[in-house]
Amino acid sequence: MKLIDFNNKAYEYNKLEKEVLDFWDKNKFFEPEYKDERDETFTIILPPPNANSPLHLGTMSGNTIQDILGRYNRMNGKKVLLLPGKDHAAIQTEVVFEKVLQKRGIRKRDLKREEFYNLCYEFCMENAKIAREQEKNIGLSADYSREKFTLDENITKIVYETFKKMFEEDGLVYRGKRIINWCVRCQTALSDIDTEYQEEDSKLYYIKYGELTVATTRPETKMADVALAVNPKDKRYRHLIGKVIDIDSIEGKRSLPVLGDSSVDINFGTGVLKVTPGHSKEDFRLGEKYNLPIIMVIDTNGKMTFEKYKGMKVKEAREKVVEDLDKMGLLEKVSDIKHNIQVCERCKSVIEPLVSYQWFVKTKELARSLIDEGEKGNPKIYPKRQEKNYLRFLENIEDWCISRQQWWGQRIPAYYCGGKITKINESGDITEEILGCGNIFVSIDKPKECPRCKSKKIVQDEDIFDTWFSSTQWPFSSLGGINGKDFKEFYPTNVMETGRDILFFWVARMGIMGLYVTEKIPFKTVYLHGLVLDKDGKKQSKSRGNGIDPKDMIDKYGRDALRLSLVSSVAPDQDFRLFEEKIKGYRNFINKVYNSSRLIFMMLEKNKNSLPSIKNSYGAYSTKTSINISREMTDHVKKINRLFKNYEIGLVAFELQNFYHHIFCDIYLEAIKPHQDDPKALGEILYVFYQNILLLHPFIPFITEHIFQDLKRLGYIDTENETMDYEIYPKL
RNA sequence: GGGUUCGUAGCUCAGUUGGUUAGAGCACAACAUUGACAUUGUUGAGGUCACUGGUUCGAAUCCUGUCGAACCCACCA
């Protein structure tokens, strides 16, 4: 690294930042072993970004916050590990990559599973490379020698081991018949997070059920009804609860029991609900509660299985059913209704709730001990108010469907002796039969035979794991699992910094899986950040065209400026607006840092020969000026450390800038200028300046590293450290 | 339906456990400058702290209610 050329009046960030970047890249400063003698560790497992696209600003903002915490702790004598990784993001990537293939004129169904997997793997590796460059480019001081990908062999092995232990030892995983969100187009089960709601105009049909009338938007599922339900508080129907009523229907005469359940909304429609456990989530729950049978009339292609409408698509069947009901005199009336329909987040197809055989984790039992810990404040969550949400989620947690009918991901290591057959019988009941000796077993390596009957005819489950099943094990799998060397040294981690939108899906379940596998909660502190919005408060996205290109901003304003813009005025869990003028403002601040350094270096150089005592007076506040810099510094340093303790990163950034610009430069430097030929004053300037540069370093490490290198080279500071990250942060 | 957050200058936001005259940046106006920095400095204008009622010696801050904005969870039969 060359000395800063102080002939330039403006800071040449691009050139100078690149020098720093190269310097860091060539050395191993960010590997914890660099200072192996340090005892106390500080670990952050960085949330692995999806390997299907370059990083967006939200991820970069998170990276910057984590880097600031990493550097701050490094400067506080800790052995710091920031562990980077990339996530395969199962279904999301699969859909993205399908579109990429489409552009190349290839259809997924024309490829073999393995071919698809390999092409997708290549695609992800390319994107991971871009993301890695971006991370380094904003100065993320992570240890890339330890970087992981969620589909790395050793990671998958740990995920498989967990699954085996859950299934075979503890019975916490089961294969069950439950209702799931089914995407007809993607042909897969989806978790709630993979779906969203869209408002749609539709019809509400009032249909006669014997003496009662039911209002429904889904008449085509009526052949799968197994009961009716009313609210016990509803005076109109209270007398019918517990009775069985006879009805006429398309499928003939039937008898349906009438249930009383408080979940029924008295004010919706007629206040009578038809219970269809095969095709509605709420009804499935009622079915479980009252032990009702399950009937299905729609298959995984979104087509009817009921004989009369066999093969028809749902919408088509709906019209036909309504027509038939009308003919039978069972249709009372039709009204318009706006309602939200659940659609696949990726392809926007309508979700068909249906019952199928899937793998589930019994999360309720596992959540119990995490709730106990949570009530004791473990982990500590910033902002604190999210603790309530976190606990409530855990208390209401449902069994977790972890199987997906996709190709991109970790294939479930479950095997069926002789294979299996799933079918829906005449009465619409779904059944599954395991062939061979009926054994289902889990094996981490590819098995040669059934361990029970020794049959060689064994078939692996076609499904893959939900991406969250692997990512919730990331805090320990990325450290090599419970027997890993890194695990022993760095687990549990100190901080989990992530978007507040995945508190439930990721953070809470990481707690569950971590506690189950390692008997420890994987992190001591959770820090949740908000979303990055544009100037008008809208979410930044490519499709809106309001997204800021990080590379563009780096070229225009530099890395340090971008970093500041990503963390300044950021409060935990609070969305913040980012726009170009803001970044420009931070560029001006960086320039201020540069020019004040230029002034100080000039003053020092000018008096170089008359400064034998500089190191003696170093650290002393000796000059009388209009400002009491000693007290100002004391207060400032106290404040900064206090804010750091409370993870008020945005406020720290703000205070640092404010102090440096308006106290240090505008007042102090101006006041001390007249004394600049006094060696004692110069010692003081140097000391105050360096303290400030140290304080700023975690936030704007490029320019401060450069200044540090120059101060060291010119002999103004006395240090053995090769990089500023190992200097000691000002404390009182 | 349940929950959370927010509403402070034209804009973006600070404002610690209640305490003088409510702050900063941007934008605006005037002035300065060849001595670190026009990517600068000084000064100025600009606020009924959404509204209402209350607690208090004292409220932007605490409490009640209203209005407005955003978000999360559940549900949408």
Side-chain angles (χ1 to χ4, degrees), chain A residues 302-319:
Chain A
K303 291 187 176 157
M304 302 297 290
T305 56
F306 183 76
E307 198 49 54
K308 192 167 179 193
Y309 309 103
K310 198 164 191 148
M312 280 187 196
K313 286 201 169 166
V314 167
K315 274 202 172 155
E316 199 184 334
R318 184 174 303 163
E319 285 171 28

Side-chain angles (χ1 to χ4, degrees), chain A residues 14 548-558 562 580 583:
Chain A
N14 259 324
I548 290 177
D549 180 5
K551 191 177 178 305
D552 203 31
M553 292 302 111
I554 285 177
D555 288 346
K556 266 171 124 164
Y557 305 112
L562 182 62
E580 190 166 343
I583 306 174

Side-chain angles (χ1 to χ4, degrees), chain A residues 328-570:
Chain A
M328 294 173 75
L330 295 172
L331 186 68
E332 203 171 280
K333 63 168 178 173
V334 180
S335 66
D336 292 319
I337 186 178
K338 264 196 200 306
H339 81 150
N340 290 326
I341 50 163
Q342 200 178 9
V343 297
C344 173
E345 196 203 4
R346 307 294 159 203
C347 73
K348 315 293 176 197
S349 314
V350 176
I351 293 298
E352 206 53 69
L354 45 86
V355 176
S356 74
Y357 278 91
Q358 302 285 346
W359 289 95
F360 292 90
V361 173
K362 291 185 190 168
T363 20
K364 261 191 172 28
E365 297 175 29
L366 287 166
R368 197 60 256 166
S369 39
L370 193 63
I371 294 170
D372 294 343
E373 286 296 319
E375 278 163 355
K376 284 186 254 166
N378 186 17
K380 215 167 157 52
I381 298 177
Y382 291 93
K384 199 172 169 15
R385 68 187 124 80
Q386 287 285 12
E387 273 174 21
K388 249 191 294 175
N389 286 338
Y390 167 82
L391 288 173
R392 202 174 36 205
F393 171 79
L394 288 174
E395 273 154 17
N396 299 323
I397 200 162
E398 295 287 332
D399 280 359
W400 173 20
C401 174
I402 54 166
S403 44
R404 297 288 183 275
Q405 292 66 49
Q406 302 256 299
W407 285 352
W408 176 242
Q410 289 149 335
R411 188 157 169 185
I412 295 180
Y415 296 84
Y416 304 88
C417 180
K420 66 177 162 83
I421 304 172
T422 306
K423 51 185 170 189
I424 301 176
N425 66 17
E426 316 75 54
S427 59
D429 195 10
I430 177 174
T431 57
E432 192 181 66
E433 194 185 328
I434 311 297
L435 306 171
C437 73
N439 191 18
I440 304 178
F441 61 99
V442 174
S443 175
I444 290 157
D445 302 311
K446 230 178 171 48
K448 293 203 173 67
E449 55 184 30
C450 170
R452 194 201 285 168
C453 73
K454 309 293 172 201
S455 160
K456 301 242 188 289
K457 273 183 79 180
I458 41 175
V459 178
Q460 184 173 4
D461 199 301
E462 290 291 324
D463 295 355
I464 58 163
F465 282 127
D466 174 14
T467 198
W468 301 97
F469 186 70
S470 89
S471 59
T472 47
Q473 300 183 52
W474 190 241
F476 54 87
S477 66
S478 62
L479 289 170
I482 51 172
N483 298 314
K485 182 176 164 287
D486 280 350
F487 178 85
K488 282 169 190 147
E489 185 164 10
F490 297 105
Y491 191 91
T493 69
N494 295 72
V495 180
M496 174 49 64
E497 196 284 351
T498 189
R500 62 130 196 273
D501 48 333
I502 50 175
L503 173 64
F504 304 138
F505 300 105
W506 199 42
V507 179
R509 285 176 181 163
M510 271 195 285
I512 288 176
M513 297 301 280
L515 203 51
Y516 169 65
V517 176
T518 71
E519 294 171 357
K520 278 179 190 150
I521 295 175
F523 27 73
K524 292 170 192 150
T525 297
V526 175
Y527 178 100
L528 300 166
H529 65 243
L531 301 169
V532 181
L533 307 174
D534 72 1
K535 195 171 183 170
D536 304 316
K538 299 241 164 59
K539 204 170 164 177
Q540 303 222 14
S541 72
K542 271 184 212 154
S543 54
R544 276 206 190 85
N546 61 354
I548 290 177
D549 180 5
K551 191 177 178 305
D552 203 31
M553 292 302 111
I554 285 177
D555 288 346
K556 266 171 124 164
Y557 305 112
R559 292 158 183 83
D560 282 331
L562 182 62
R563 282 172 68 103
L564 273 182
S565 74
L566 289 171
V567 300
S568 233
S569 74
V570 170

Side-chain angles (χ1 to χ4, degrees), chain A residues 101-329:
Chain A
L101 282 179
Q102 230 164 44
K103 278 187 194 151
R104 295 187 204 160
I106 304 170
R107 285 180 309 182
K108 180 185 161 190
R109 69 180 105 129
D110 295 336
L111 294 173
K112 288 202 182 100
R113 183 172 182 147
E114 209 182 330
E115 288 172 327
F116 179 85
Y117 186 96
N118 290 338
L119 286 171
C120 194
Y121 193 89
E122 259 173 56
F123 171 74
C124 282
M125 288 303 110
E126 279 164 34
N127 275 300
K129 196 177 156 193
I130 297 169
R132 185 179 309 122
E133 287 314 308
Q134 284 178 298
E135 287 166 357
K136 287 186 178 178
N137 212 17
I138 56 157
L140 185 66
S141 60
D143 178 3
Y144 281 91
S145 72
R146 283 177 161 90
E147 191 185 7
K148 303 282 190 307
F149 181 52
T150 50
L151 293 184
D152 286 349
E153 216 176 302
N154 46 0
I155 301 283
T156 297
K157 191 168 171 247
I158 291 162
V159 171
Y160 281 3
E161 279 165 359
T162 305
F163 181 71
K164 191 177 166 77
K165 180 170 142 79
M166 291 183 118
F167 181 68
E168 291 184 351
E169 288 176 32
D170 301 318
L172 286 165
V173 142
Y174 65 95
R175 193 167 154 74
K177 196 163 66 165
R178 291 188 68 86
I179 194 133
I180 41 108
N181 302 309
W182 180 265
C183 176
V184 172
R185 195 216 68 93
C186 301
Q187 286 288 303
T188 182
L190 296 174
S191 70
D192 287 340
I193 197 183
D194 297 319
T195 69
E196 59 188 31
Y197 288 90
Q198 273 177 8
E199 196 179 64
E200 214 182 62
D201 292 317
S202 59
K203 304 275 184 212
L204 189 61
Y205 304 92
Y206 288 74
I207 301 165
K208 285 182 189 158
Y209 278 68
E211 61 193 279
L212 295 172
T213 300
V214 170
T216 180
T217 53
R218 301 210 59 188
E220 72 279 10
T221 62
K222 94 180 291 292
M223 291 76 74
D225 294 343
V226 295
L228 295 170
V230 298
N231 194 307
K233 283 185 187 150
D234 195 335
K235 289 184 186 132
R236 292 172 294 177
Y237 310 117
R238 199 151 44 185
H239 62 286
L240 290 172
I241 294 172
K243 302 222 165 92
V244 173
I245 64 166
D246 296 324
I247 64 156
D248 279 326
S249 184
I250 286 166
E251 66 274 26
K253 288 198 187 299
R254 292 183 61 193
S255 304
L256 296 177
V258 180
L259 310 170
D261 195 276
S262 58
S263 69
V264 179
D265 184 350
I266 296 173
N267 299 315
F268 186 89
T270 59
V272 184
L273 170 72
K274 72 186 193 67
V275 183
T276 321
H279 295 293
S280 152
K281 272 190 258 179
E282 189 52 31
D283 294 6
F284 185 85
R285 248 166 254 152
L286 283 173
E288 272 190 319
K289 192 166 166 188
Y290 297 102
N291 206 13
L292 303 171
I294 295 164
I295 298 177
M296 289 177 62
V297 291
I298 300 167
D299 67 13
T300 52
N301 292 313
K303 291 187 176 157
M304 302 297 290
T305 56
F306 183 76
E307 198 49 54
K308 192 167 179 193
Y309 309 103
K310 198 164 191 148
M312 280 187 196
K313 286 201 169 166
V314 167
K315 274 202 172 155
E316 199 184 334
R318 184 174 303 163
E319 285 171 28
K320 197 79 186 67
V321 167
V322 170
E323 206 183 299
D324 289 347
L325 285 169
D326 199 17
K327 274 186 207 153
M328 294 173 75

Side-chain angles (χ1 to χ4, degrees), chain A residues 580-592:
Chain A
E580 190 166 343
E581 293 92 310
K582 231 179 192 174
I583 306 174
K584 194 171 161 187
Y586 295 116
R587 186 269 319 262
N588 293 356
F589 173 70
I590 300 298
N591 191 61
K592 189 79 183 174

